[in-house]
Amino acid sequence: MHRLGERLRAFDGRHPLYWDLHLTALMVVAALVDASGGWRNVAFDPDVPVLLVVVMSLVFTVPLVWRRSRPLAVLAMMLPAALVNAWTGAHLQASHLQLLVISHIALRLPLRTLTWSGLAFLVPVAVGATRHPVGSWDQQFAPTLYALLLVALLGLTVRSRREHTASLVERARRLEVERDQQAQLAAAAERARIAREMHDIIGHNLSVITGLADGGAYAAAGNPERAAQALTAIGTTSRQALGELRRVLDVMRDDATPTPETAELSPQPALADLHTLVDNVRAAGLPVTLTVEGEAEESGAAAGPVNAGRQLAVYRVVQEALTNTLKHAGPGATAAVRVSFGDDGTITAEVTDTGTGLAPRTGSDHAADSVHTGRGLAGMRERTALYDGTLEVGPQRAPEAGWRVRLRLPKDATP
């Protein structure tokens, strides 16, 4: 039965006029059958002209075809016939079809309109009870009033149920849209993260390889042993870069989820790897010094060890700064890296160099300034903003020459 009801409602939703015409035709036939003589059995005055009875029957039934689209207009069309019916005492049963129109007003129109419609419906009833009293006045008026209240409450109940169902459907639709948006945002964030990682891995290692190759070519003629060392370092750096790149690409595969058995896993670089990073840059031909002030585990009274995310952010910013120095500082440049752990739990990393190649590295003095078009500086700013930090990039203040990158991450910063 439930499935049959669903099918009927679906058919009615697709073809409302079909159902309205058939129901109206059924009511017209029933009213005309009653007008042929049956109405006299309950009439207060059986001498009402038959033609008038037929006209009132048609007025009560024909407008029903518009009861769903214009219920208030249909009730207004029926009201004159209801007054004539009450005044003459014909007491036609078709007059009760006004209750069907009242139910549609309760379903579709505001409560104030329903109140005024109910009062208009009761006017002919009061007229009939006064004009043709049978028994006590309330015996004629009260049953009709109860029927009106029942129909109105039924219509309001169905309306409330429909609105509740519609709100649930709309909420489900919004949740589905929000879910899709969250998935798109997550995918975009992951693409940005992977792009940063690939840039840092490939950009830095290629810069180191380039420096080693240039140094090896320079030393090949006068010192073959140094050239062989440069080639060995190039091979080591290339294999390391290839391994890191392979791990990133394994994560991006769509055909299977990487597992410890199918993908090579290793921890992300941390602050402890800064010494290795500096050694690789030195091997590429750039003199670099590393200074660490304070201890990570003791920075801040209750800070505890620095979380892996902040360590990775510091490592990548230092790596990118040294990569830019390799690319743009020029011959004879030196670099210095200083990492400080403050008592308040902050981490400060500063990379300076004595290079002279300023134009290719021009950026703003703060992370909130205009974004540089280079992928490296943009990646540094993204990592800094992820942990609510500040990044200063620009030439050193006179009389110092060269470039300066300063990163500061606050305590307990979470992405």
Side-chain angles (χ1 to χ4, degrees):
M1 291 297 295
H2 177 72
R3 182 174 297 179
L4 178 61
E6 292 291 336
R7 290 180 178 179
L8 289 176
R9 280 192 290 270
F11 180 80
D12 180 52
R14 294 192 300 269
H15 310 284
L17 185 60
Y18 178 88
W19 177 255
D20 291 341
L21 287 174
H22 280 72
L23 179 62
T24 302
L26 178 63
M27 294 302 175
V28 169
V29 171
L32 292 178
V33 170
D34 184 59
S36 65
W39 64 276
R40 291 189 174 90
N41 296 327
V42 294
F44 298 134
D45 183 4
D47 295 327
V48 179
V50 175
L51 180 60
L52 181 59
V53 171
V54 171
V55 172
M56 287 190 295
S57 298
L58 292 176
V59 173
F60 282 131
T61 54
V62 172
L64 289 177
V65 72
W66 299 289
R67 73 190 188 282
R68 290 197 282 189
S69 58
R70 298 177 180 85
L72 196 59
V74 172
L75 185 64
M77 294 172 64
M78 291 182 174
L79 186 58
L83 289 171
V84 174
N85 179 56
W87 185 262
T88 59
H91 196 56
L92 297 178
Q93 300 300 309
S95 64
H96 296 301
L97 291 175
Q98 295 174 94
L99 292 173
L100 179 60
V101 182
I102 294 290
S103 68
H104 284 282
I105 292 177
L107 278 172
R108 292 170 172 81
L109 299 180
L111 185 60
R112 179 180 298 180
T113 304
L114 174 62
T115 302
W116 286 109
S117 300
L119 293 176
F121 170 77
L122 291 176
V123 170
V125 178
V127 170
T130 304
R131 172 79 172 168
H132 304 281
V134 177
S136 61
W137 186 82
D138 62 325
Q139 287 180 345
Q140 298 183 60
F141 189 80
T144 305
L145 177 61
Y146 293 153
L148 172 64
L149 293 176
L150 179 62
V151 168
L153 289 175
L154 181 62
L156 291 175
T157 301
V158 174
R159 176 179 182 171
S160 177
R161 181 180 177 86
R162 287 182 178 177
E163 290 177 348
H164 179 65
T165 303
S167 67
L168 291 178
V169 172
E170 177 62 19
R171 181 181 178 185
R173 187 193 65 81
R174 289 199 305 269
L175 289 175
E176 184 177 357
V177 171
E178 292 176 2
R179 182 198 63 191
D180 294 340
Q181 291 176 343
Q182 290 296 330
Q184 293 174 2
L185 290 175
E190 184 64 13
R191 286 195 297 269
R193 186 189 69 81
I194 293 174
R196 287 196 302 267
E197 292 298 322
M198 293 187 67
H199 172 272
D200 292 339
I201 293 170
I202 298 174
H204 173 74
N205 286 290
L206 285 180
S207 297
V208 172
I209 290 172
T210 301
L212 290 170
D214 291 341
Y218 178 78
N223 193 342
E225 182 179 351
R226 292 295 300 274
Q229 293 176 355
L231 291 175
T232 301
I234 289 174
T236 302
T237 304
S238 300
R239 284 189 293 271
Q240 179 183 353
L242 185 60
E244 293 183 12
L245 182 60
R246 184 180 295 114
R247 282 191 290 272
V248 173
L249 295 178
D250 284 341
V251 174
M252 298 175 62
R253 289 177 56 193
D254 293 333
D255 56 345
T257 301
T259 64
E261 292 77 18
T262 61
E264 182 182 355
L265 304 180
S266 65
Q268 290 277 29
L271 294 175
D273 298 309
L274 286 177
H275 294 281
T276 303
L277 173 65
V278 169
D279 290 341
N280 290 337
V281 174
R282 285 200 195 102
L286 177 66
V288 184
T289 60
L290 173 63
T291 304
V292 179
E293 300 176 353
E295 295 292 336
E297 293 79 8
E298 299 176 358
S299 63
V306 181
N307 65 64
R310 289 205 299 168
Q311 293 193 49
L312 178 62
V314 173
Y315 180 91
R316 291 304 189 193
V317 169
V318 172
Q319 181 186 53
E320 179 61 27
L322 292 176
T323 301
N324 287 338
T325 300
L326 278 172
K327 290 180 180 179
H328 308 298
T334 62
V337 179
R338 184 172 71 252
V339 179
S340 303
F341 300 95
D343 294 334
D344 58 352
T346 61
I347 304 176
T348 303
E350 186 176 76
V351 181
T352 58
D353 64 56
T354 60
T356 57
L358 299 180
R361 298 186 292 177
T362 300
S364 60
D365 292 334
H366 194 274
D369 294 340
S370 60
V371 178
H372 187 260
T373 55
R375 179 66 248 177
L377 284 178
M380 287 196 290
R381 298 185 197 285
E382 291 171 1
R383 292 183 186 277
T384 304
L386 194 63
Y387 291 94
D388 297 327
T390 56
L391 179 70
E392 301 174 13
V393 180
Q396 297 197 69
R397 295 179 180 178
E400 299 292 337
W403 200 258
R404 173 176 173 268
V405 176
R406 186 176 187 274
L407 167 71
R408 183 181 183 276
L409 297 183
K411 174 186 175 182
D412 296 334
T414 56

